[in-house]
Each structure stands twice: as C-alpha cells, then as structure tokens.
Amino acid sequence: MMTKPPSSVIPSCTWNRPIGLGWDKPYTVRYTSNIDDGPWHGMPLGGFGAGCIGRSSRGDFNLWHIDGGEHIFKNIPACQFSVFESFGSSSQAYALCTEPPEDGSLKTWQWYPASRRVGGDEGAGEERVNGQLFLSPSSPSLPQFLTGTYHALYPRSWFVYERVFQAELTCEQFSPIWAGNYQQTSYPVAVFVWTAHNPTHAPISLGIMLTWQNMVGWFTNALKSPEIRVRDDGSPVYEYQPRFGESLDNFNQLVENSESIGLLLERVHMTEPVQEGEGQWCIATRKQPNIEVHYHTRWNPVGTGEEVWQSFAQDGSLLNDVDGTPAAEGEQIGVALAVRFTLQPGETLEIPFVLTWDFPITEFAAGITYYRRYTDFFGRSGKNAWTIASTALAEYQIWQQQIQSWQQPVLERQDLPDWFKMALFNELYDLTSGGTLWSAATQSDPVGQFAVLECLDYRWYESLDVRLYGSFALLMLFPELEKAVIRAFARAIPSSDENHRVIGYYYTIGVESPIAVRKVAGATPHDLGAPNEHVWEKTNYTSYQDCNLWKDLGCDFVLQVYRDFLLTGADDVEFLRDCWNAVVQTLDYLKRFDKDGDGIPENSGAPDQTFDDWRLVGVSAYCGGLWLAALEAAIAICDVLLNCRTCENTEDLVQQRSIYETWLAQSRPIYQEKLWNGQYYQLDSESRSDVVMADQLCGQFYARLLGLPDIVPVEYALSTLKTVYDACFLKFHNGNFGVANGVRPDGSPENPNATHPLEIWTGINFGLAAFLVQMGMKDEAFRTTYAVVQQIYDNGLQFRTPEAITAVGTFRASIYLRAMAIWAIYLVMS
C-alpha cells in the first residue's frame, strides 16, 4: 500500500490541458497541400525507430507511425482504456475518451465527459525567473467544469481524472527513453502505470480495462512502387496506401506466465523471413494479490461493443472467453483485458499495463528492407511481443527511475523557467514520432543507422541544413546516433547519381524548370533519402531546388563534423578520419562557386540555401559567414589529425591546412568589406536590400560555440544582434510571435507577399536565442524563445511543432526537425 498522493510525482513544469477541452482558434495550415491533422495531438509512445503511437488529451489513440516514415492520423475507438467504479449502492463505467466514435460503432459504451470552459479566458498562471515575469503557456486558467487534466513532459505523460469517480485515478504513460541509453530506448513498448487511491471513508470497487483492435498487417504500403509526383508547393510526394482494415486470418490468444498475463494479437501463416507489416501486438498486466484479471480474446471492435461492455459496466469483469478463431474476410476482431479490485479507505494501489508490438522489418522501396534496432535484443522473428511485454512488466519501475534521474538535474535548475523546461523536454517528441528509423547494428555501424524526417510534408531524412540547428538534442543526448548520421553523409559525398529531374521551385513560380542532375560527386547531399526509396544510400530526394548548387550544405557538414568531435569528448579521432576525405571533397566542390576569385563562394540569385524561397545574390551574410566558420573548423580538424600519433598522411594534411588558411585569409576581409554597413551585415553584396536577416551570423555563433576565432569583431556581432532583436522581434507585431526571418530596420516587410522572410521559423528562433545567450543577451533570448513556445503550446501545435508560423495564425510543415534547436539554448547555458 502507498500513501503518497499520485499527483505529487507529476513535475510542476508539464504541458497540461483539461481533458477533452478543445481550442477556440487553433493554428491552421498555410498551404492546403500540407498536412493539418488538427490540434488533438498528445505525446507519442514507443521507442526510437520502433514505430510509435500517440494519445491525445481527450484520451483517444490517434497517431499510428508504425510503418517507418509513414503517417496515419486516425482515432481507432476500440483501442481504449475504460474504468468501472462501484461505490455504495451506485456504479458507473466510462470509456476514457471524450469523443464517441464518428461512425456510430461501440454505441453501448459510455464515453467520459469532457472538461469545458464556462466563461473566462485562458492564459492565467505567472512565473518570475531572474526578475522577468512570464505567463506560463502550460498553465491555462481552469474552466469551471473540469473532469481531469492531461500532463506531458516527454517521455512521460499523465491523465489525472477528477470529479467523475469517487476514487482518485492517475495513469502515467511512458516508454523507456533516457539519455545515453542505446538499448531500451529502441523498444516497441508503451507502459501505462495506473495509480488508484481511495480518499473516502468507505470501500470502492474498481475495474480498469484495456481494449485493443488486432491491426496486424495494416501498416505497410500496398503500392510497392508508388509513383512520385510534384505537389502544388513544388515538393516531391508519393502515394502511401496502407492495408488499413485488412484483417483476414488475424487471430488472438491468451498468454501467461507466473508473473504476468496478456493477450497476443497476430496472424496465421506469417512468412519466413518476416515481411514488413507482419508481426504481433500484445497487451498485458502483472498478476498481483487481491487483484482479479479478466479477459475476452475475441470481440467485434466495429460493432456495438456490447460483448465486452455489458459485463464490464455491470461489475468490472469480463467473461474470460477464449476464442482463437481467425478473422474471416471483412471481419474485425479485438481483445479486452481487465483488472478488478477493491480499495479500502485511504488505500492506494499501482497497476501496470503494457502495450507492445513486434514488427521487425522496415521496407523502403520494394525488396529493400532493414531490421529495426530493437531486434538486436529480442530477435528478428516477429514473434516476440509477449517477451517484450514480460520484460516491460518486470523492469518498468527501473525505467521510471532512470527517466527521473536523467530529467531531475534540469528540473531542479532555478535559473530556467518552467515553460522552458517543459518545451525543452517536449520538443524531443520528434525523436519518437518524426518517422524515425533506427536499424539493427552491423560491423560498420555498431549502434545501427539512424534518421529522422525533416518533417511529414517534406518526407526525406536528416536534411543537413535543418539539422545544423535541429541536431543539438541528438548530439547532447545520444551522441553515437548523431555521429552515425554524420558518417552517412560522409559516405554519400563522393557518390553521384546522374538521373535528371525537374526542379519544383520553378513550377511554383510558373516558369519552365531547368533539368538538374540528382547528385553531383563531391557535393554534400541535402538529405539521406526518403522512405519510398533507399534511405542512407540514395540521397538528395528533395527536388524543390537543385541542392547541388546550395552554398551552405558543405559548410554545414564540416561544422557538424568538428562540432560532433569536440562536444562528445574530443577523443574520437577515428570519427574525424572517417569524415576527413569528405570534408576535403566538399570544400573543394564549394570553392568552385567562387566565380570572381575573391575567396568566398557567391550565391547565384536562385534560392540556393536553407531559406529556399529567398533569393540571395553575390556574397551573402548567411552563407559567407558559414564558409568562414567551416574553413576555421577544417583547419582545427587538420590540427587534431596532425597531432595524432598514428597520422600517416602528414604531408597531405599540412598542404590542405595551408590551402584553407590561404582561403580564410583572403575571405575574411572580403566578408567585412562587402557586407558590413555600420550597424549590421547586409543580406548580400549584390541585391542592395536593406533587410535585416535574423540568422545572418549563424557562422559566428558556430565559431564561438566551437572555440574557433571570431569571424567578425565582437562589437559588430553585438550591434547586429541588437538590430535583429529590435527590427525582427520588437517591431514585428510587437514581439508577440517571435523573430521574423527578415524585415527592414523599421520592422516593415521589403515585400509584403514574400514567404520565408515574413515567417517565424521555430528552430531559427531557438538557434538565434542560443546565440543571444552566448553573447550575454540572456533576457532577450528568453523573451524571443518564450514568444515562440507560447504560440506553439497555447494554440494546438503541441507535439507537431511546425517549421514556420505566421502572424495570422497559420503554420507550415508540421512535426519539424529544426525545432529541437531549443537544446542549443540549454547547451550554451550549461
């Protein structure tokens, strides 16, 4: 028996929302072709690369990223927790979702009442840190009718149920994810720890039921060679057609051992070797004294639901019916597992449930398959869901302690406001639900290969320009995975792909597109490929621009190589060796774009960098600064390799170092001469634009971060940052939304119809905030960061943070990689 009230274990800095309370004006998508699932997103559950599911603050399981890289957002009502309670002479039972099925199924079930607002506005809740007052975006003022609260602090979330049951009920949900853990973090498991407390003076009888639909075989593309087409926004897309609802020959069975009992959902005649989409689901709980376990192995999840609801709503039990008959054509089957117990006055009980799945294969193009990382620990047969469940039930309390030990030092910091701690952890959701891939280990990749999508709308992996900021979380928490990604880029740089294709940008502006080669040897690829081809091997999937012409990608690569070496202990010289030839090749390739011989590659006038709707001409502040920083990083890498006792190519390294020093000495004064206007650095040297670009000194930020010489004088950097803060933040809608990418010094747009300059990019804002902290402007950093966090977490964008938001309440590109740049702020503060 426990006496501590369950809510006391929930940290104070969670994102929270009244259960079932909707949004008055959630952000909506900017372009109709982009994905907009609406605001009902909750924290995802599942290990990295294992596939994941999501459950929203109204209680529905609605996100299904089981097939690597693919997206399904759909409430499956039969996948649900329900609670029965008997107190005195009365009893009640509710399925714990506030939204009944839209198709009229499960009509015998009673659905949990939603919280609702009766007058009043959100937004109360204040916090003062370091003398600054913040309204907390994770503290909406309470509505008058509250049935409970959903809390989230990745990788944990909680449902606290109030005012409906006599018992105090809390369900904590998590997967075993914590920093530096390369085993359990890969597991396909969701743990649900129920805590039930009786605060009354009389006994309470309770039943908790988990129902689940047999979805084996659903999550794979029925189109083995999907056709690629160009969408209205110029992005390449392909059709995904899951086998949703195809349940022929699915069957369920009861499984148990001395400690646990569960229900296994599988399919007759699994092929050998197992194919994508084949495998098992399992739900299970622990056997405990004074707790009855009941089950139902086969019921119709798309019917009335009375087979399970009649008995459960009556007394919290099930019929213990065992039926392993496979599903017929067009038939759907589900399972139900329930526990029943009585709480005496003052008694508290903990009841764990686990949900596991074992779908060991990820298939890209037809026949191109990888085993998932978790198969290194549980085998590759696709028949291990029960083993995974048994492991989870035996170890979940250890996992809880590991997560708490990892998070606690951050949560205890008094110099960080709660809203920042909340966003810091919750933005890690993308490592789970960002279409994440994590392959089984091989000799050349001892922790496997890893990749996260740029986003759902731009469905290709690890876009190098985006991860320049967005990879800080992976670097700090899972450095071996970070280095695996960079090694994949190093392997790709020498390769070429002579296939030609149309460039989508020109399609969007209504002019004829040039035909471009997909990948030029020596060019740093933009991305590591898409889930319909061959990730890690077939790169440069995006065709919105010709990425072989980009002026930032090579610099981004070199900077990330040296950063990953330096910030992971500065002792993995083998990593630098693995990347060195690619560093040389990409800098040589990039230098070809120095057409006038002044030392700095010029932008061509096409959008040829990460702001790929924004034309830069000549030497640009953004790309030119990255070039200077990359040359400094390359020189530093030379020094490390030359100082290594086992260095074999000393003459080549000395020669290469001399080349980079020459380029750097030539470039540095040109950058200053062509771009400094006395207050900030001009957008570029040719367009005569007076726009203040927010991210113009990204190269200076990286140089300082890596202990390299400043690429611009410190006083010039400070003047630039103050100008950016004033023009792009304070004068852009009074700082309510965040920092705009680029406006004129008075805050006005150069072109009112421009796209990228007038958007607030979440990850760029967080990267800029890290730069502000680095330069002693911490107050300004927190104010800009807070504005963005507030927009995301107050307006239905949680757990689908977009690339961009606008001042009119629209967003673009949800579940975006770059937003994990918030960890760069934490890094420079640490």
Side-chain angles (χ1 to χ4, degrees):
M1 183 172 114
M2 305 181 339
T3 56
K4 187 167 64 172
S7 61
S8 65
V9 302
I10 301 176
S12 63
C13 58
T14 61
W15 178 76
N16 54 75
R17 186 90 188 166
I19 293 174
L21 181 67
W23 284 259
D24 294 333
K25 290 184 178 179
Y27 269 73
T28 55
V29 80
R30 182 171 188 178
Y31 300 119
T32 54
S33 60
N34 277 199
I35 292 170
D36 187 355
D37 296 316
W40 292 105
H41 280 258
M43 196 204 72
L45 295 157
F48 295 179
C52 77
I53 61 175
R55 189 182 184 202
S56 83
S57 57
R58 66 185 176 193
D60 55 328
F61 289 91
N62 57 16
L63 182 75
W64 307 94
H65 285 187
I66 301 300
D67 184 356
E70 308 301 350
H71 173 66
I72 296 173
F73 187 83
K74 178 183 176 66
N75 177 17
I76 300 181
C79 298
Q80 191 52 253
F81 274 104
S82 301
V83 166
F84 163 86
E85 181 184 68
S86 174
F87 180 73
S89 60
S90 63
S91 65
Q92 56 182 341
Y94 289 101
L96 297 180
C97 175
T98 62
E99 188 79 7
E102 294 179 353
D103 61 5
S105 63
L106 307 183
K107 62 184 180 183
T108 62
W109 293 23
Q110 186 78 19
W111 299 88
Y112 194 73
S115 303
R116 63 179 185 269
R117 192 182 297 112
V118 187
D121 297 316
E122 292 186 50
E126 297 179 347
E127 185 182 4
R128 191 175 294 275
V129 176
N130 296 337
Q132 290 192 73
L133 184 66
F134 295 99
L135 288 175
S136 175
S138 58
S139 302
S141 59
L142 294 180
Q144 286 186 311
F145 181 69
L146 183 74
T147 60
T149 307
Y150 172 80
H151 298 261
L153 191 73
Y154 181 90
R156 297 183 289 166
S157 56
W158 298 260
F159 284 89
V160 180
Y161 299 96
E162 302 171 83
R163 296 178 178 82
V164 174
F165 301 109
Q166 294 292 322
E168 294 177 354
L169 297 173
T170 298
C171 180
E172 179 181 352
Q173 313 172 134
F174 68 93
S175 295
I177 293 163
W178 60 88
N181 166 25
Y182 297 94
Q183 180 171 332
Q184 289 85 353
T185 294
S186 73
Y187 287 3
V189 59
V191 180
F192 304 88
V193 182
W194 282 87
T195 306
H197 174 70
N198 182 354
T200 75
H201 298 290
I204 300 176
S205 293
L206 289 165
I208 302 173
M209 175 173 69
L210 176 57
T211 50
W212 209 255
Q213 188 160 350
N214 189 326
M215 297 174 283
V216 171
W218 291 16
F219 300 102
T220 184
N221 199 350
L223 305 173
K224 286 300 182 184
S225 299
E227 183 180 345
I228 302 170
R229 58 183 175 82
V230 177
R231 193 171 57 193
D232 64 348
D233 67 352
S235 297
V237 294
Y238 60 91
E239 189 176 356
Y240 180 64
Q241 193 178 96
R243 297 185 179 277
F244 224 73
E246 295 184 20
S247 298
L248 178 66
D249 287 338
N250 284 5
F251 73 100
N252 311 320
Q253 63 171 311
L254 180 71
V255 285
E256 62 180 311
N257 57 32
S258 58
E259 290 85 30
S260 308
I261 183 168
L263 297 165
L264 203 55
L265 300 77
E266 47 191 325
R267 174 172 285 183
V268 179
H269 307 309
M270 194 187 301
T271 57
E272 290 187 16
V274 61
Q275 302 296 303
E276 183 183 70
E278 295 184 332
Q280 299 174 329
W281 293 89
C282 182
I283 59 173
T285 190
R286 252 186 5 196
K287 296 177 178 177
Q288 297 187 63
N290 303 317
I291 295 182
E292 304 171 18
V293 181
H294 299 268
Y295 47 84
H296 199 307
T297 66
R298 196 181 195 279
W299 62 281
N300 178 11
V302 295
T304 65
E306 62 185 333
E307 309 103 301
V308 293
W309 198 255
Q310 187 172 6
S311 56
F312 182 75
Q314 182 176 329
D315 61 9
S317 72
L318 295 169
L319 300 178
N320 292 347
D321 181 60
V322 177
D323 183 350
T325 306
E329 185 72 47
E331 187 179 21
Q332 300 296 323
I333 59 173
V335 295
L337 184 68
V339 297
R340 186 170 67 173
F341 53 93
T342 298
L343 289 178
Q344 299 303 319
E347 188 178 4
T348 301
L349 200 59
E350 179 176 288
I351 304 100
F353 282 82
V354 297
L355 166 70
T356 61
W357 53 96
D358 182 13
F359 299 103
I361 286 286
T362 291
E363 182 179 54
F364 302 143
I368 298 174
T369 60
Y370 281 76
Y371 286 102
R372 288 172 153 155
R373 168 64 171 172
Y374 76 86
T375 63
D376 288 340
F377 313 107
F378 289 105
R380 298 179 170 184
S381 67
K383 299 178 180 178
N384 295 296
W386 169 239
T387 304
I388 299 169
S390 300
T391 301
L393 287 168
E395 298 182 8
Y396 78 91
Q397 290 172 319
I398 298 172
W399 297 348
Q400 280 179 307
Q401 292 165 6
Q402 293 279 10
I403 295 167
Q404 290 168 18
S405 297
W406 160 48
Q407 292 187 333
Q408 205 57 36
V410 179
L411 302 185
E412 289 176 350
R413 285 187 59 162
Q414 298 299 308
D415 60 330
L416 300 177
D418 275 358
W419 61 263
F420 180 80
K421 298 171 189 174
M422 178 278 295
L424 188 70
F425 284 111
N426 281 334
E427 287 303 318
L428 296 175
Y429 82 94
D430 194 43
L431 293 174
T432 292
S433 64
T436 312
L437 305 176
W438 189 1
S439 70
T442 63
Q443 189 169 358
S444 58
D445 294 291
V447 295
Q449 291 188 279
F450 187 83
V452 175
L453 291 174
E454 178 175 333
C455 67
L456 294 179
D457 290 299
Y458 314 144
R459 203 168 296 188
W460 39 84
Y461 281 99
E462 292 294 345
S463 300
L464 192 67
D465 56 318
V466 175
R467 73 185 325 277
L468 183 67
Y469 280 146
S471 60
F472 276 97
L474 194 66
L475 167 68
M476 295 168 68
L477 303 175
F478 299 93
E480 295 307 312
L481 297 182
E482 166 62 24
K483 286 190 278 192
V485 173
I486 295 300
R487 281 189 169 99
F489 275 101
R491 293 168 187 163
I493 285 171
S495 68
S496 65
D497 185 336
E498 298 300 322
N499 287 304
H500 290 73
R501 53 198 187 160
V502 172
I503 300 303
Y505 168 75
Y506 296 94
Y507 172 84
T508 66
I509 61 174
V511 301
E512 187 175 351
S513 168
I515 302 299
V517 169
R518 176 161 175 165
K519 169 71 172 69
V520 175
T524 298
H526 169 271
D527 56 75
L528 293 176
N532 63 313
E533 292 191 341
H534 190 172
V535 185
W536 302 302
E537 299 294 328
K538 196 170 175 61
T539 61
N540 259 5
Y541 185 83
T542 182
S543 59
Y544 181 67
Q545 296 287 1
D546 180 359
C547 295
N548 297 296
L549 305 179
W550 279 26
K551 309 309 185 296
D552 54 351
L553 292 173
C555 302
D556 295 346
F557 172 72
V558 176
L559 288 169
Q560 289 176 68
V561 168
Y562 187 55
R563 179 199 67 178
D564 292 359
F565 167 77
L566 194 66
L567 299 184
T568 59
D571 54 6
D572 189 355
V573 179
E574 195 63 35
F575 171 70
L576 289 186
R577 284 202 193 98
D578 290 344
C579 299
W580 174 245
N581 287 337
V583 167
V584 174
Q585 286 183 46
T586 196
L587 289 177
D588 283 350
Y589 177 85
L590 193 52
K591 187 65 166 62
R592 297 181 203 171
F593 296 104
D594 176 18
K595 303 297 185 185
D596 61 4
D598 68 356
I600 304 180
E602 292 90 37
N603 292 92
S604 66
D608 53 4
Q609 27 66 42
T610 194
F611 302 94
D612 55 5
D613 262 351
W614 201 349
R615 293 173 175 266
L616 306 178
V617 192
V619 174
S620 69
Y622 180 71
C623 295
L626 288 171
W627 170 252
L628 293 174
L631 291 176
E632 292 186 345
I635 292 167
I637 294 171
C638 282
D639 289 340
V640 173
L641 294 176
L642 284 167
N643 290 329
C644 180
R645 292 179 182 176
T646 58
C647 178
E648 296 175 355
N649 56 336
T650 302
E651 287 186 20
D652 291 344
L653 285 166
V654 169
Q655 182 181 5
Q656 211 60 55
R657 189 185 193 284
S658 176
I659 290 170
Y660 297 149
E661 284 188 317
T662 300
W663 291 354
L664 182 63
Q666 183 186 12
S667 300
R668 196 187 298 274
I670 293 294
Y671 184 83
Q672 199 69 24
E673 173 190 320
K674 287 192 173 183
L675 298 174
W676 177 249
N677 67 8
Q679 184 181 355
Y680 59 95
Y681 289 85
Q682 291 174 195
L683 185 67
D684 57 44
S685 61
E686 302 295 331
S687 69
R688 299 183 180 177
S689 170
D690 66 346
V691 161
V692 180
M693 186 186 202
D695 204 29
Q696 59 185 274
L697 286 184
C698 179
Q700 168 69 6
F701 164 71
Y702 252 90
R704 284 219 138 192
L705 180 76
L706 304 182
L708 301 169
D710 290 319
I711 65 167
V712 300
V714 172
E715 62 271 22
Y716 290 8
L718 281 169
S719 175
T720 297
L721 282 175
K722 289 172 182 175
T723 304
V724 168
Y725 183 76
D726 181 63
C728 301
F729 180 61
L730 295 179
K731 290 177 178 172
F732 185 77
H733 295 273
N734 299 313
N736 290 325
F737 294 90
V739 178
N741 280 328
V743 293
R744 305 182 71 221
D746 64 359
S748 65
E750 181 180 50
N751 172 9
N753 298 316
T755 51
H756 290 178
L758 301 182
E759 290 181 327
I760 300 97
W761 285 13
T762 55
I764 295 293
N765 269 253
F766 297 153
L768 179 64
F771 190 14
L772 288 165
V773 171
Q774 188 187 69
M775 298 299 289
M777 299 173 67
K778 184 178 176 183
D779 287 355
E780 291 86 345
F782 270 119
R783 289 190 180 281
T784 56
T785 303
Y786 172 74
V788 175
V789 169
Q790 185 181 41
Q791 292 301 322
I792 295 167
Y793 287 92
D794 276 3
N795 293 293
L797 293 176
Q798 73 291 334
F799 305 109
R800 55 173 187 147
T801 307
E803 159 78 314
I805 58 175
T806 70
V808 294
T810 63
F811 72 89
R812 180 173 59 80
S814 63
I815 307 190
Y816 205 79
L817 171 62
R818 189 158 15 210
M820 284 188 288
I822 195 168
W823 280 84
I825 304 172
Y826 184 70
L827 175 65
V828 295
M829 290 189 67
S830 303

